[in-house]
Amino acid sequence: MNALNFRYVFAFRQSPEDRKCWREKIAWFLRKLADRLDRRESFALKFESDPHVPRDYRNSCIEQGMQLAFELMTESVKYKSMDQHLEAEFPHLWQAPEKNSSKS
């Protein structure tokens, strides 16, 4: 019986590693410069696989993953906004109950 063999590496970073070559240092410098210029955030993705997965397919998967992340962040912001509104309208719900030392 033959075994199914595959290997992949998926790395996602927002900041550089400590150990890096001069090319990575320049790349991270340019990413940070771009972040300041367009007021966005840059990330580095590394994907290697055996067997090879076409670049277009990988990019499509990453786009779909980012769309899911966007939907999750939208829900998170919506619920945080509701929470802040409710806390402002009903502060007594967020206050710890007072403990009575005497029992009736």
Side-chain angles (χ1 to χ4, degrees):
M1 180 192 260
N2 291 337
L4 179 64
N5 293 315
F6 66 94
R7 178 188 66 80
Y8 71 94
V9 174
F10 184 83
F12 177 84
R13 289 192 312 245
Q14 187 179 10
S15 60
E17 295 177 336
D18 291 337
R19 295 168 276 140
K20 56 188 176 222
C21 67
W22 64 272
R23 289 181 184 170
E24 289 179 355
K25 289 179 183 180
I26 292 172
W28 278 106
F29 172 77
L30 293 174
R31 282 186 191 100
K32 293 300 176 189
L33 181 62
D35 289 352
R36 283 187 267 159
L37 290 174
D38 63 10
R39 295 184 180 136
R40 296 182 184 182
E41 293 185 51
S42 298
F43 302 97
L45 290 173
K46 177 183 177 183
F47 185 84
E48 297 173 2
S49 66
D50 183 27
H52 177 71
V53 175
R55 182 182 206 105
D56 291 342
Y57 182 74
R58 291 190 325 235
N59 290 345
S60 173
C61 290
I62 291 169
E63 285 177 19
Q64 291 174 17
M66 293 304 288
Q67 181 62 35
L68 177 60
F70 172 76
E71 291 169 9
L72 292 171
M73 289 300 297
T74 301
E75 288 294 312
S76 179
V77 169
K78 180 174 120 180
Y79 292 135
K80 182 66 175 174
S81 176
M82 283 191 237
D83 195 42
Q84 288 175 345
H85 176 74
L86 288 172
E87 186 174 3
E89 291 295 317
F90 306 103
H92 62 278
L93 296 175
W94 274 258
Q95 295 171 356
E98 295 179 17
K99 294 183 179 181
N100 294 332
S101 58
S102 62
K103 294 183 181 179
S104 302

